[in-house]
Amino acid sequence: MTDTTQRTWRGPSAPQRLAILRRTKSIAIVGASANPARASYFVATYLLSSSPYDVYFVNPRAETILGRPAYDSLADLPVVPDLVDAFRRHEDLPGVAQEAIDVGAKALWLQLGSWHEEAAALAEDAGLDVVMDRCVKIEHARFHGGLHLAGFNTGEISSKKQRVSGRG
């Protein structure tokens, strides 16, 4: 749940977010899902196919996601992720922030719609970069000219009706 009425935290600027993404080599998606209807699945498919990152999945209820192992926790990963991308419920976010701190991650990223100032303060006090209410996929695509995926920006402006069949 996102509470937009009492936001006091100020997130990084676009150049700062770009710098975070440029420093990042590995991303752990906490709350990754094997369900193609979930946003985490969509983000994972994008990151695997269109980014240079090593991507790891954390979901204690899954064995594999997109053919890759799913780990029970950040501590179970074979590497220390540079960036922890959280797809978890609001009340779980401070715990995810603490796990990210405990494993030595460099950044905590709360997905679009996720805003938790306590989790952000916890992570920032431990020296992590924090981004909230932004999508890693959208931000990566924005900075690398890939917003055409999923219909965000085709790069083509036209008033012509698209032909779907052989008619008309």
Side-chain angles (χ1 to χ4, degrees):
M1 182 165 125
T2 301
D3 182 4
T4 57
T5 58
Q6 307 215 357
R7 290 183 174 190
T8 58
W9 183 82
R10 294 282 175 231
S13 65
Q16 291 168 321
R17 292 191 306 275
L18 175 60
I20 292 168
L21 292 174
R22 283 190 171 158
R23 285 191 299 268
T24 297
K25 303 287 182 233
S26 59
I27 295 178
I29 300 177
V30 175
S33 174
N35 181 346
R38 298 285 186 149
S40 64
Y41 183 91
F42 186 69
V43 169
T45 58
Y46 171 83
L47 292 176
L48 290 173
S49 67
S50 302
S51 80
Y53 306 120
D54 293 327
V55 180
Y56 299 90
F57 302 124
V58 177
N59 183 333
R61 292 183 290 175
E63 292 292 320
T64 61
I65 296 172
L66 292 165
R68 293 171 176 240
Y71 298 91
D72 289 347
S73 69
L74 290 171
D76 295 323
L77 294 177
V79 299
V80 173
D82 293 321
L83 187 150
V84 172
D85 188 15
F87 286 86
R88 297 292 303 158
R89 292 180 301 199
H90 181 77
E91 59 270 22
D92 295 339
L93 296 175
V96 173
Q98 187 60 57
E99 264 195 90
I101 294 164
D102 292 345
V103 298
K106 297 178 183 112
L108 175 66
W109 193 294
L110 305 184
Q111 273 299 313
L112 210 52
S114 290
W115 187 273
H116 201 295
E117 296 198 15
E118 178 188 334
L122 188 65
E124 284 182 327
D125 288 349
L128 277 71
D129 292 315
V130 176
V131 176
M132 293 197 289
D133 198 19
R134 298 230 177 231
C135 175
V136 166
K137 180 241 174 278
I138 292 172
E139 292 295 291
H140 181 271
R142 171 198 321 252
F143 296 130
H144 298 86
L147 278 180
H148 61 286
L149 295 174
F152 288 115
N153 179 0
T154 62
E156 208 174 293
I157 299 172
S158 173
S159 62
K160 288 185 176 179
K161 193 173 194 176
Q162 187 176 21
R163 296 177 84 181
V164 190
S165 66
R167 293 183 295 152

